[in-house]
């Protein structure tokens, strides 16, 4: 009888149905570099694209090898180093990150990527200077509530420098995930309030990828229904006619202002779509989105888009025709209604 009584609490604990919340998670980082976005599967795919000399690799490599002035030089050069093993590209990324051209507030995300991806070609003095540049931003006040890109950049930077600031990085990640995300954005989504500016969806998915790769946490879970329908919502929220630009055609996302479409917004909208597919490629909604993406006329070739096109596109992923999506789409949590002929 005594034996049974001693085992009873253990059995009850094992059967405890209380779900674990984001506040209960451990936010210390134990993964090896590269930690940010380049997990083993993605890096293997990108290196295979280089070996195949795919169209996306060739246009990306031509921009780097030709010395083109790129909007995000740290991201582009560091990516080229990781995929091609070109030490010169890695050193170029480090030199840019340490220069005055890289503003810590504006370019924190790129600084984190360079710190994480280019460590093998960074000497100690350079690594210390780059870390100090990142740490100054992380020690400053947290950004405004709705600046998704800044919150995402802080999370990525905390993951990148976690070896040097294990407790402080854990504190930052907990603040971003439990405080800003779960305590703010998730609640606004649940209440049907505007929560994620459309033009910052890409930054949000970078944070999703980095958190899942390093902490095994899917930040979409508290609002699963919203994120399940988001790929179709994203497809529906484009104007019917594409926009012809010198480098390629763009699908134009809806915008609420006067004037012409913003090609940077159009490029980052496509980048967000590719990041969505990469995050959940088995979902039916993602397969519709993949079918929407894999049309060569929209393949991005400009200095900004070509880097994201190479980084995220997966031409081996099957897709479904988006023409099978219902003609009228309604997202209950946001109130979005889109109709097409």
């Amino acid at each position: 009888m005594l034996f049974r009584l001693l085992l009873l609490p253990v059995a009850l604990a094992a059967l405890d149905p209380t779900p674990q919340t984001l506040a209960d998670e451990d936010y210390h980082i134990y993964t090896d570099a590269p930690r940010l976005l380049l997990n083993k599967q993605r890096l293997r795919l990108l290196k295979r694209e280089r070996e195949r000399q795919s169209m996306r690799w060739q246009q990306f490599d031509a921009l780097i090898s030709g010395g083109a002035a790129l909007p995000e030089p740290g991201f582009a050069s560091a990516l080229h180093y990781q995929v091609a093993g070109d030490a010169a590209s890695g050193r170029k990324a480090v030199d840019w990150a340490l220069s005055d051209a890289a503003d810590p507030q504006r370019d924190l995300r790129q600084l984190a990527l360079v710190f994480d991806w280019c460590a093998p070609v960074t000497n100690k003095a350079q690594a210390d200077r780059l870390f100090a540049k990142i740490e100054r931003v992380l020690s400053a006040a947290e950004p405004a509530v709705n600046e998704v890109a800044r919150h995402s950049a802080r999370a990525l930077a905390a993951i990148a420098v976690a070896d040097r600031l294990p407790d402080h990085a854990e504190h930052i990640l907990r603040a971003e995930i439990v405080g800003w995300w779960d305590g703010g954005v998730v609640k606004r989504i649940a209440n049907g309030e505007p929560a994620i500016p459309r033009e910052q969806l890409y930054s949000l998915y970078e944070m999703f990828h980095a958190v899942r790769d390093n902490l095994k946490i899917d930040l979409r879970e508290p609002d699963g229904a919203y994120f399940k329908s988001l790929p179709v919502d994203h497809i529906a929220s484009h104007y019917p006619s594409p926009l012809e630009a010198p480098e390629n055609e763009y699908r134009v996302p809806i915008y609420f202002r006067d004037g012409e479409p913003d090609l940077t917004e159009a490029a980052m909208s496509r980048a967000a779509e590719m990041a969505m597919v990469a995050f959940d490629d088995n979902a039916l909604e993602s397969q519709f989105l993949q079918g929407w993406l894999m049309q060569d006329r929209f393949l991005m070739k400009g200095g900004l888009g070509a880097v994201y096109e190479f980084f995220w596109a997966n031409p081996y992923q099957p897709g479904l025709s988006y023409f099978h999506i219902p003609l009228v789409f309604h997202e209950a949590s946001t109130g979005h209604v889109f109709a097409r002929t």
Side-chain angles (χ1 to χ4, degrees), residues 98-170:
L98 295 175
S99 72
D100 292 337
D103 177 77
Q105 291 288 344
R106 182 192 65 230
D107 297 314
L108 178 62
R109 163 189 169 270
Q110 285 195 83
L111 297 181
L113 292 173
V114 173
F115 185 90
D116 184 50
W117 293 356
C118 298
V121 293
T122 309
N123 62 43
K124 185 179 184 305
Q126 290 173 322
D128 290 344
R129 286 174 56 200
L130 183 51
F131 166 72
K133 206 169 181 178
I134 294 171
E135 197 272 337
R136 281 196 298 272
V137 182
L138 293 180
S139 298
E142 294 183 13
V145 171
N146 288 326
E147 294 183 11
V148 177
R150 289 185 180 273
H151 284 282
S152 174
R154 282 177 65 84
L156 266 61
I159 292 170
V161 301
D163 289 342
R164 296 200 177 207
L165 292 172
D167 292 332
H168 188 43
E170 191 270 348

Side-chain angles (χ1 to χ4, degrees), residues 56-317:
R56 288 180 174 85
W57 162 256
Q58 288 185 20
Q59 66 185 19
F60 169 60
D61 182 53
L63 289 169
I64 298 294
S65 302
L70 301 177
E72 296 182 337
F75 172 41
S77 295
L79 176 60
H80 193 265
Y81 162 66
Q82 275 287 331
V83 176
D86 185 349
S89 291
R91 288 191 291 267
K92 184 177 179 180
V94 173
D95 290 343
W96 172 84
L98 295 175
S99 72
D100 292 337
D103 177 77
Q105 291 288 344
R106 182 192 65 230
D107 297 314
L108 178 62
R109 163 189 169 270
Q110 285 195 83
L111 297 181
L113 292 173
V114 173
F115 185 90
D116 184 50
W117 293 356
C118 298
V121 293
T122 309
N123 62 43
K124 185 179 184 305
Q126 290 173 322
D128 290 344
R129 286 174 56 200
L130 183 51
F131 166 72
K133 206 169 181 178
I134 294 171
E135 197 272 337
R136 281 196 298 272
V137 182
L138 293 180
S139 298
E142 294 183 13
V145 171
N146 288 326
E147 294 183 11
V148 177
R150 289 185 180 273
H151 284 282
S152 174
R154 282 177 65 84
L156 266 61
I159 292 170
V161 301
D163 289 342
R164 296 200 177 207
L165 292 172
D167 292 332
H168 188 43
E170 191 270 348
H171 172 76
I172 292 169
L173 285 169
R174 183 175 293 277
E176 295 298 341
I177 295 171
V178 179
W180 171 71
W181 175 252
D182 196 43
V185 179
V186 167
K187 289 183 178 179
R188 291 198 297 277
I189 293 173
N191 292 333
E193 301 171 17
I196 307 166
R198 193 188 192 287
E199 65 274 12
Q200 295 195 41
L201 266 177
Y202 175 76
S203 297
L204 182 63
Y205 268 83
E206 279 199 337
M207 182 175 174
F208 282 0
H209 278 276
V211 168
R212 187 176 67 177
D213 289 346
N214 292 277
L215 296 170
K216 308 304 180 189
I217 298 172
D218 186 347
L219 293 179
R220 304 171 308 164
E221 287 185 359
D223 279 305
Y226 171 84
F227 286 104
K228 183 177 187 295
S229 66
L230 185 58
V232 178
D233 186 319
H234 201 78
I235 292 173
S237 62
H238 285 78
Y239 293 104
S241 300
L243 176 67
E244 290 190 23
E247 62 273 17
N248 53 264
E249 292 185 54
Y250 288 96
R251 290 189 173 101
V252 179
I254 57 170
Y255 60 93
F256 303 96
R257 62 174 186 275
D258 295 330
E260 295 298 313
D262 186 322
L263 291 185
T264 296
E265 285 185 8
M268 295 313 297
S269 177
R270 180 174 169 85
E273 294 158 8
M274 291 187 285
M276 285 184 207
V277 172
F279 196 81
D280 190 5
D281 55 12
N282 289 322
L284 177 64
E285 294 78 9
S286 294
Q287 292 174 33
F288 285 127
L289 190 52
Q290 176 73 353
W292 162 268
L293 286 166
M294 291 296 111
Q295 297 184 54
D296 288 346
R297 58 192 280 215
F298 298 107
L299 189 150
M300 296 188 290
K301 301 174 183 176
L304 175 67
V307 185
Y308 289 96
E309 187 77 41
F310 171 67
F311 186 75
W312 287 113
N314 184 355
Y316 310 103
Q317 173 70 25

Side-chain angles (χ1 to χ4, degrees), residues 22-40:
L22 289 176
D24 300 324
E25 298 284 355
D26 178 9
Y27 293 102
H28 284 91
I29 301 297
Y30 302 104
T31 49
D32 297 325
R35 294 169 173 162
L36 300 179
L37 312 180
L38 273 179
N39 58 32
K40 292 180 180 178

